[in-house]
């Protein structure tokens, strides 16, 4: 049987461990001292609900798989048949090229070209670098064509703190704006609003409990280090999902059952929200020959390990 995620690349540093997949360049595991901080899945399985996948050149959904570039209608492949949308970009099921694999870092790259509905070739790369209590992820995108184009980057990890039930974790999210999803089609999202005075105000922290989210949060407040910090906490353990400035959005998704363990929580760093190819919201524009780079990461503090 062909492994749907290809070769598995292990990273080790101290008592920290991560696993990255060849197909999709996804993050399949992250643990410290044997304690898992990422919902994982078997190497021979498809990533459930996009688990750990890299989302380029757009995250989330493009409505009806259609958008317009320089006045020309574009038709992407429909990859969410139920709603007729194109979801999560073009690289999730591609075999990425291994450029370098050291003990605690790995670099992979993938070309986006000759794709229906995508008119300008891009080359995208990713570097995972493991520290004793932290994983740093660096994304790169370069314009290989002869026209400028806007794009977005996202990623789709589901987090945990050991065997603590997801509903018992506390989520702290420094977002001032929110776009709740529209129940039926999930696109477009409901009108953007301030979180102040709503159930979406998670700035002071809230136990996941009965939160039911598939929701885009923006207006992220920077910490003293210039990064955004989304926190999951339980007892003396904090899982810090940090993002640098270009990751202006985060999607939080709380499915009822991801891998048989029960409730799960995805915290998805994104440079732009859903349907940005149509709205233009926070797209990153690259001129021919230009390159973009952006970082996010995961840090474990006061670990159970």
């Amino acid at each position: 049987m062909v492994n749907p995620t290809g070769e598995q690349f292990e990273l080790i540093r101290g008592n920290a461990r991560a696993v990255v997949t060849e197909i999709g360049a996804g993050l399949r595991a992250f643990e410290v001292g044997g304690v898992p901080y990422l919902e994982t899945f078997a190497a021979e399985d498809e990533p459930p609900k996009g688990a750990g996948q890299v989302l380029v050149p757009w995250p989330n959904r493009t409505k009806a798989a259609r958008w317009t570039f320089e006045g020309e209608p574009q038709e992407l492949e429909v990859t969410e048949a139920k709603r007729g949308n194109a979801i999560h970009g073009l690289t999730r099921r591609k075999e990425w090229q291994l450029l370098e694999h050291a003990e605690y870092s790995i670099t992979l790259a993938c070309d986006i070209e000759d794709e229906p509905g995508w008119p300008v070739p891009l080359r995208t790369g990713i570097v995972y670098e493991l520290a004793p209590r932290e994983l740093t992820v660096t994304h790169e995108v370069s314009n290989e064509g002869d026209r400028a184009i806007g794009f977005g980057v996202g990623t789709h990890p589901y987090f945990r703190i050991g065997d603590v039930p997801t509903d018992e974790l506390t989520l702290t999210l420094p977002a001032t704006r929110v776009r709740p999803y529209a129940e039926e089609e999930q696109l477009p999202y409901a009108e953007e609003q301030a979180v102040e005075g709503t159930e979406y105000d998670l700035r002071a922290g809230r136990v996941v409990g009965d939160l039911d989210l598939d929701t885009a949060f923006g207006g992220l407040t920077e910490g003293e280090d210039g990064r955004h910090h989304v926190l999951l906490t339980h007892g003396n353990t904090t899982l810090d999902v940090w993002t640098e400035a270009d990751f202006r959005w985060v999607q939080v998704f709380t499915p009822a059952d991801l891998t048989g363990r029960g409730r799960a929580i995805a915290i998805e760093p994104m440079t732009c929200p859903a349907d940005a190819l149509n709205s233009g919201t926070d797209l990153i524009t690259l001129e021919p020959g230009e390159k973009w780079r952006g970082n996010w990461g995961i840090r474990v503090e006061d670990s159970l390990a």
Side-chain angles (χ1 to χ4, degrees):
M1 180 176 12
V2 177
N3 186 337
T5 55
E7 190 173 349
Q8 310 294 298
F9 302 110
E10 187 177 57
L11 309 179
I12 300 286
R13 191 165 188 178
N15 66 353
R17 174 180 177 269
V19 178
V20 175
T21 66
E22 176 188 26
I23 295 176
L27 181 61
R28 193 173 70 81
F30 172 62
E31 58 188 50
V32 178
V35 177
Y37 293 96
L38 193 79
E39 299 285 4
T40 189
F41 54 94
E44 62 270 17
D45 291 344
E46 289 278 356
K49 298 184 185 297
Q53 293 186 323
V54 178
L55 320 176
V56 185
W58 74 87
N60 213 284
R61 297 162 174 86
T62 297
K63 186 176 183 178
R66 295 174 183 167
W67 66 294
T68 300
F69 176 72
E70 294 185 343
E72 301 174 0
Q74 305 291 328
E75 293 196 14
L76 299 159
E77 181 183 357
V78 173
T79 49
E80 188 187 37
K82 181 180 178 181
R83 297 182 176 90
N85 300 319
I87 188 169
H88 290 334
L90 300 170
T91 68
R92 292 190 296 156
R93 294 177 175 84
K94 286 184 177 290
E95 182 178 313
W96 287 54
Q97 178 186 2
L98 176 63
L99 301 182
E100 183 179 1
H101 184 198
E103 183 180 4
Y104 55 81
S105 68
I106 188 169
T107 304
L108 302 108
C110 181
D111 292 312
I112 300 171
E113 55 187 0
D114 300 324
E115 296 282 353
W118 192 261
V120 176
L122 301 175
R123 183 168 176 82
T124 185
I126 193 165
V127 179
Y128 292 95
E129 184 170 3
L130 191 63
R133 307 176 73 79
E134 186 169 19
L135 180 71
T136 298
V137 186
T138 302
H139 297 265
E140 288 188 351
V141 178
S142 58
N143 184 341
E144 304 294 303
D146 57 9
R147 295 183 287 177
I149 192 166
F151 71 94
V153 171
T155 187
H156 208 300
Y158 293 83
F159 294 104
R160 63 192 288 179
I161 295 179
D163 293 327
V164 177
T166 298
D167 286 346
E168 295 179 17
L169 303 177
T170 296
L171 172 66
T172 304
L173 178 55
T176 61
R177 308 289 297 175
V178 64
R179 292 185 180 185
Y181 71 88
E183 185 69 33
E184 290 301 317
E185 57 178 342
Q186 292 188 262
L187 268 176
Y189 277 72
E191 185 176 351
E192 187 174 318
Q193 59 183 282
V195 301
E196 185 77 36
T198 75
E199 62 183 307
Y200 301 106
D201 192 345
L202 305 173
R203 291 173 291 181
R206 180 172 165 184
V207 175
V208 173
D210 60 355
L211 283 176
D212 182 16
L213 300 173
D214 189 358
T215 305
F217 292 86
L220 303 179
T221 303
E222 294 181 355
E224 293 181 359
D225 59 358
R227 293 171 170 175
H228 316 123
H229 295 270
V230 181
L231 308 178
L232 279 179
T233 57
H234 185 269
N236 67 343
T237 302
T238 297
L239 182 69
D240 179 0
V241 183
W242 59 263
T243 65
E244 292 192 342
D246 280 347
F247 287 89
R248 302 172 185 270
W249 296 83
V250 63
Q251 185 90 6
V252 180
F253 178 38
T254 57
D257 189 2
L258 182 70
T259 58
R261 199 178 79 92
R263 281 251 285 174
I265 182 166
I267 298 172
E268 308 169 38
M270 306 187 301
T271 61
C272 60
D275 208 30
L277 294 182
N278 284 304
S279 70
T281 302
D282 288 332
L283 286 180
I284 297 168
T285 298
L286 287 181
E287 298 292 332
E290 213 173 16
K291 179 183 289 187
W292 168 85
R293 178 180 291 176
N295 296 306
W296 67 278
I298 313 161
R299 180 170 176 78
V300 178
E301 300 174 354
D302 296 324
S303 171
L304 296 169

Short mmCIF file of all heavy atoms in Angstrom, two decimals, residues 6 35 84 109 121 130 146 178 223 302:
data_model
loop_
_atom_site.label_atom_id
_atom_site.label_comp_id
_atom_site.label_asym_id
_atom_site.label_seq_id
_atom_site.Cartn_x
_atom_site.Cartn_y
_atom_site.Cartn_z
N GLY A 6 3.77 9.80 2.27
CA GLY A 6 5.12 9.61 1.79
C GLY A 6 6.10 9.26 2.90
O GLY A 6 5.75 8.73 3.95
N VAL A 35 5.83 13.51 25.84
CA VAL A 35 4.48 14.06 25.99
C VAL A 35 4.05 14.70 24.66
O VAL A 35 4.73 15.59 24.15
CB VAL A 35 4.43 15.12 27.11
CG1 VAL A 35 3.04 15.74 27.21
CG2 VAL A 35 4.84 14.49 28.44
N GLY A 84 -18.78 22.97 -2.94
CA GLY A 84 -18.36 23.48 -4.24
C GLY A 84 -17.22 24.47 -4.18
O GLY A 84 -17.02 25.27 -5.11
N ALA A 109 10.85 21.83 -0.43
CA ALA A 109 10.35 22.83 -1.39
C ALA A 109 9.38 22.17 -2.36
O ALA A 109 9.40 20.95 -2.56
CB ALA A 109 11.50 23.47 -2.15
N PRO A 121 3.36 30.97 -11.80
CA PRO A 121 4.11 29.94 -11.07
C PRO A 121 4.79 30.49 -9.81
O PRO A 121 5.35 31.58 -9.83
CB PRO A 121 5.14 29.46 -12.09
CG PRO A 121 5.29 30.58 -13.05
CD PRO A 121 3.96 31.26 -13.12
N LEU A 130 13.97 22.37 15.14
CA LEU A 130 13.59 21.92 16.48
C LEU A 130 14.60 22.41 17.50
O LEU A 130 15.82 22.31 17.30
CB LEU A 130 13.52 20.40 16.50
CG LEU A 130 12.91 19.71 17.71
CD1 LEU A 130 11.45 20.08 17.89
CD2 LEU A 130 13.06 18.18 17.57
N ASP A 146 6.13 36.09 -14.60
CA ASP A 146 6.43 37.41 -15.15
C ASP A 146 5.34 38.44 -14.83
O ASP A 146 5.30 39.51 -15.41
CB ASP A 146 6.65 37.33 -16.67
CG ASP A 146 5.46 36.72 -17.40
OD1 ASP A 146 4.39 36.51 -16.77
OD2 ASP A 146 5.58 36.45 -18.61
N VAL A 178 -13.34 39.42 14.69
CA VAL A 178 -13.74 38.04 14.42
C VAL A 178 -14.63 38.00 13.18
O VAL A 178 -15.38 38.94 12.90
CB VAL A 178 -14.48 37.43 15.63
CG1 VAL A 178 -15.80 38.15 15.91
CG2 VAL A 178 -14.72 35.93 15.45
N GLY A 223 2.62 40.96 21.28
CA GLY A 223 3.25 40.97 22.58
C GLY A 223 4.47 41.88 22.57
O GLY A 223 4.79 42.52 21.56
N ASP A 302 7.05 25.23 31.11
CA ASP A 302 6.70 24.50 32.34
C ASP A 302 6.09 23.15 31.99
O ASP A 302 5.00 22.79 32.46
CB ASP A 302 5.74 25.31 33.21
CG ASP A 302 6.38 26.58 33.73
OD1 ASP A 302 7.58 26.57 34.04
OD2 ASP A 302 5.65 27.59 33.83
#
